[in-house]
Structure formats: structure tokens, C-alpha cells
Amino acid sequence: MKHFNFLSQEDEAAIFYQLPQTIKTSYEGTHRFSADERLLIGNALGAALYMPATRENIAQLVIDARYSATAYILCLEDSIGDVTLETAEKNLINQLKEIQKHLAHCSETEREELPMLFIRVRNPEHLASFGEQLGDLAKVISGFALPKADNQNMVAYLTNVIELSEKNDTWLWAMPILESRALMIKRTREEEMTKIYDILTQPKFEERILNIRLGATDMCGLFGLRRTIDSTIYDVSVMRDFMTDVLNYFSIDRRFVISGCVWEFFGKRPRILKPLLRETPFKAKLGEDGQLIRKELITEANDGLIREVLFDKVNGINGKTCIHPTHIVPINSQLVVPKEEYQDVKRILASADGQIGVFKSDGGNKMNEVKPHLLWAKQIIRRAEIYGVFNEKKEFVDLLIAEYLSEEQK
């Protein structure tokens, strides 16, 4: 996979100091991924585009790379009515067959440019039964999203993923979605998280966990809550508390990648609070045309999404499930590393030999302390490999403008 595939070579040279790299995500057979490879790919998912499995153009969207997503989650669960499940399964099988035919004629480079595909099943039994329907098509997908994963079903989920992998001589990833009642209610959360942690850290299971996803919609629903277009998930106190505990359990030492909550809004909706995107960057870079792009982003509610991603990033959450193509670049653009931050990171890593303990940043505006900032620096250097490093005076706005202009030309 490689991010920002809509950019021309001229755009890449203008925007990036270091280009996003192509991340290898698949091998022939049951290649066993190292912990570093697992974390690299897990962080590289970025904005994963969620799509009901009833859509009849999935294969065409994937083959044509219509959107810049590097991962799709094809849903057979909540987005599908119970009475339409069989129809959705048949459609998804047909879509995967079309992709399989395309792959047979692809070069290795072309294969690497296609997005990763994950199937969201309903429960462990559904994973096993649909896995039987997949057969050799299991080699087309990258793995499964596991909804309502808890200590009661996690072992069955992961065992089924492993068995399906081995049966079809391929490697399949698992992405548990934490959204169960026992996790959301404070009095049962600690025991539930401890049991889940004990399961996920078993070596045979840990190596399969690409990332852990947070199910905000289900969790808020337990309290009859829904955030508004003018708020973020961090403004919902019960969700903020839950996310804090998830990070405390699963993000310590950066052992697992945690993916952020879905942003539910798109299209034109009434607003109460002021927009959150500054005018200056858009106007300075593209004049009045830049202001039009800013207005479009605000109209589509993507300024709120950008704000939520900033909170995700500062809390160590990487990427999101997204439900609309307009969310992809606003999410991924926030994960590109600023040049000043990259220079700080390089010096921190180079200073890990014990010669110095603290130094002033190259920008002269912050303290860099080697030991406390070392793990952070390792995360940033990985992110720089995946999403690239901005040139001086370049920022996420430049990517938003570039995407907008590329869509205008289509």
C-alpha cells in the first residue's frame, strides 16, 4: 500500500520532504510477520473505508482505485439487515471473484497498490461458515474485523481466523472491535479488559492482531447518546473514560495499534458553533479559490473530523474507520509528519547512545529529552515511513487542496 496515490509527481515533490513509502502487506503462503512488520502495517491502515457488502460495485472501486483508501472494511454485520444477509454474502463472494480475476493478470507492483480488504462478520460462527464459502478467495482478503469482541468469544474468533489461514495457505489478520456492554460499564470493565488482555497477549493470538478498533456507535447507544456535529467523541464523557482505559491497557509500550472511533457525519448539516478551520492557510496558498475549498470542507463537516483526529493523534490513536470517501484525506493528511518534528526525532534517536540527555529543538521552541521521548520518536519515525514528511511550510492543507483539485479534474 502507498498513501496519497492521487498526487502527481510535481505535487509529491512540492509537498513532501520525504515521500510516503510503499508498505508491503502480503506474501505468498503463510508468511509469519515479525512484530515490527505487524505494527508497521497496523499503523499504515489510516482511514479504513467502511462499506456494506451489498454494494454491487465493490470490485470496480477496488480495481480502479477510485478512492485513496488503503484499506476497505466490507460489512456483513450491522449495516446489513438480517433478512438480506444471504444476498450480501453472495454479492461479496461475486465481488471477490472479480478481484481475484484481476489479480491473476497484475504485476507485483500493481498488486501492492491495491487496498487491503477486511470482512466484518457477525460472530465466530459466522466467520467459520462464511470462511467455508470463501474457500480459495481467502487469499484475496487481508483478514476480518471482529465485532463485539469480548472475553467470551475472542478465543473462538481468533482460532477460526488461524484455522482459515492454515486451511487456505495464506495469512489472515484479525481486528477486534471493542464495543461490548461489559467493557462500557465501569463496574465490569476492569475484569473484562484484563481477560481480553490476557487472551490477546498469548503469542499465537498477538501475532494476528493488526489493530484494535473502538466501536463508538454501539457504546454510545448503550447510554442513549450520540455526539453532535459540533462535538468530538472526547466530549462524550463515558466514551472518553472508556477510551482512556483502553489506551491504558493496550497502548502501554505501544504493543498494539489502537484505531479511532468512526466520524458519523457527512454532507450538508446545520451548525451551531463556529467552524474550526482557520482561513489563513487556505487563502495564503490558493487565494479566493482556497477559501472555496475551506468552505466545502466545513459544509461537509470535515473540520470537526479534523479536530477529532488531532485529539486521536495526541492520545496515541492511529487511524479511523470512515464511512464516506470525503473523510479519507482529512484523516490521513493529519498523520504526515511535520519536518521540524522529523528533525527532532532524528536527533533523539541519534542521541540514544547515552552521550546527552536533553537538547533544544532545531526550531528553538521546545525541549527534547532523550529517554522520555525515545518511544515517541520511534513511533514518529515509523509514521514518517508510512505517511511521509512535509516540506518546510507545507501542512495538511496542501494535501486537502491537492485532492480537491485532482477531483475537479476528473
Side-chain angles (χ1 to χ4, degrees):
M1 65 166 73
K2 184 180 178 181
H3 284 284
F4 312 116
N5 58 11
F6 56 87
L7 294 174
S8 66
Q9 288 184 337
E10 291 78 11
D11 284 336
E12 287 182 336
I15 294 172
F16 288 104
Y17 173 76
Q18 175 181 299
L19 288 173
Q21 302 300 300
T22 299
I23 307 300
K24 189 170 180 62
T25 60
S26 63
Y27 295 84
E28 291 293 328
T30 51
H31 168 84
R32 179 160 269 108
F33 290 82
S34 68
D36 283 343
E37 288 175 317
R38 176 176 67 88
L39 291 171
L40 181 69
I41 299 169
N43 279 282
L45 291 186
L49 186 59
Y50 176 95
M51 190 174 292
T54 48
R55 284 196 62 162
E56 296 180 355
N57 63 341
I58 291 172
Q60 206 59 52
L61 291 173
V62 170
I63 293 167
D64 293 344
R66 174 62 185 87
Y67 307 125
S68 58
T70 53
Y72 284 72
I73 300 176
L74 308 173
C75 183
L76 289 169
E77 199 224 5
D78 284 349
S79 67
I80 303 298
D82 293 343
V83 297
T84 61
L85 177 60
E86 185 176 346
T87 301
E89 289 177 336
K90 289 179 179 177
N91 178 65
L92 184 52
I93 292 291
N94 290 334
Q95 299 298 318
L96 293 175
K97 286 179 179 177
E98 289 299 312
I99 296 171
Q100 185 180 55
K101 289 177 187 175
H102 174 75
L103 289 171
H105 303 289
C106 284
S107 66
E108 184 175 348
T109 301
E110 289 170 330
R111 291 175 68 96
E112 288 178 350
E113 289 176 350
L114 292 176
M116 300 179 77
L117 303 177
F118 299 89
I119 299 174
R120 177 172 164 142
V121 291
R122 297 190 163 207
N123 51 51
E125 296 73 29
H126 185 219
L127 196 161
S129 64
F130 189 68
E132 287 295 320
Q133 294 183 57
L134 281 174
D136 193 48
L137 290 172
K139 294 180 179 179
V140 176
I141 68 171
S142 302
F144 294 90
L146 313 177
K148 301 172 179 62
D150 59 25
N151 87 84
Q152 298 292 318
N153 60 25
M154 191 75 78
V155 170
Y157 261 138
L158 298 176
T159 299
N160 288 344
V161 169
I162 294 170
E163 289 179 353
L164 188 61
S165 298
E166 293 174 347
K167 183 176 181 179
N168 291 283
D169 190 33
T170 191
W171 184 272
L172 296 171
W173 296 107
M175 301 194 300
I177 306 171
L178 303 185
E179 53 186 352
S180 68
R181 184 182 183 90
L183 283 169
M184 195 58 174
I185 298 175
K186 192 76 171 179
R187 65 178 178 272
T188 55
R189 181 182 300 160
E190 185 173 354
E191 180 181 0
E192 179 70 10
M193 280 199 181
T194 299
K195 289 178 179 178
I196 291 174
Y197 181 86
D198 290 343
I199 294 169
L200 296 188
T201 52
Q202 294 179 38
K204 66 178 180 179
F205 293 147
E206 182 173 350
E207 67 178 358
R208 296 282 172 171
I209 307 302
L210 193 56
N211 63 24
I212 295 171
R213 311 189 77 84
L214 305 178
T217 305
D218 281 53
M219 293 298 216
C220 288
L222 293 172
F223 292 86
L225 301 175
R226 184 175 190 178
R227 70 184 183 281
T228 68
I229 197 171
D230 293 300
S231 62
T232 73
I233 199 64
Y234 295 90
D235 295 313
V236 182
S237 60
V238 289
M239 276 303 299
R240 183 179 61 247
D241 290 348
F242 162 69
M243 292 161 64
T244 298
D245 288 344
V246 170
L247 289 165
N248 194 283
Y249 266 81
F250 299 102
S251 190
I252 188 73
D253 300 324
R254 310 306 291 179
R255 190 165 181 172
F256 296 100
V257 177
I258 312 297
S259 181
C261 302
V262 67
W263 177 256
E264 298 176 340
F265 305 102
F266 58 92
K268 299 173 176 58
R269 297 176 62 88
R271 305 290 295 269
I272 298 173
L273 302 180
K274 290 176 66 175
L276 301 167
L277 286 179
R278 292 183 298 119
E279 293 183 11
T280 305
F282 292 88
K283 191 170 185 178
K285 294 173 188 295
L286 213 59
E288 292 305 316
D289 287 341
Q291 293 292 67
L292 292 174
I293 295 171
R294 175 181 174 273
K295 183 177 180 181
E296 184 74 18
L297 287 165
I298 292 169
T299 301
E300 295 289 339
N302 284 342
D303 59 323
L305 167 62
I306 290 167
R307 183 167 181 257
E308 186 164 292
V309 175
L310 288 172
F311 284 130
D312 286 343
K313 192 166 61 170
V314 79
N315 283 288
I317 291 175
N318 193 295
K320 271 185 176 303
T321 301
C322 59
I323 56 167
H324 199 273
T326 59
H327 295 172
I328 298 167
V329 176
I331 292 171
N332 291 338
S333 65
Q334 296 296 315
L335 299 172
V336 181
V337 178
K339 187 177 179 181
E340 181 182 314
E341 190 170 76
Y342 181 69
Q343 290 170 330
D344 287 343
V345 162
K346 295 284 281 187
R347 284 195 64 192
I348 290 169
L349 294 173
S351 303
D353 58 1
Q355 296 298 314
I356 59 174
V358 65
F359 60 89
K360 183 170 66 174
S361 69
D362 288 350
N365 55 14
K366 71 179 80 66
M367 175 191 74
N368 289 316
E369 198 168 352
V370 177
K371 288 182 180 178
H373 291 145
L374 187 58
L375 181 56
W376 168 82
K378 290 177 180 178
Q379 301 303 307
I380 299 301
I381 208 72
R382 179 186 288 132
R383 223 175 73 209
E385 179 181 355
I386 297 166
Y387 298 97
V389 178
F390 280 128
N391 267 324
E392 204 78 49
K393 297 182 180 178
K394 297 295 181 179
E395 57 182 327
F396 76 97
V397 172
D398 295 276
L399 283 168
L400 298 179
I401 290 172
E403 185 209 18
Y404 182 87
L405 294 177
S406 71
E407 287 293 319
E408 287 286 290
Q409 293 168 7
K410 289 181 181 178

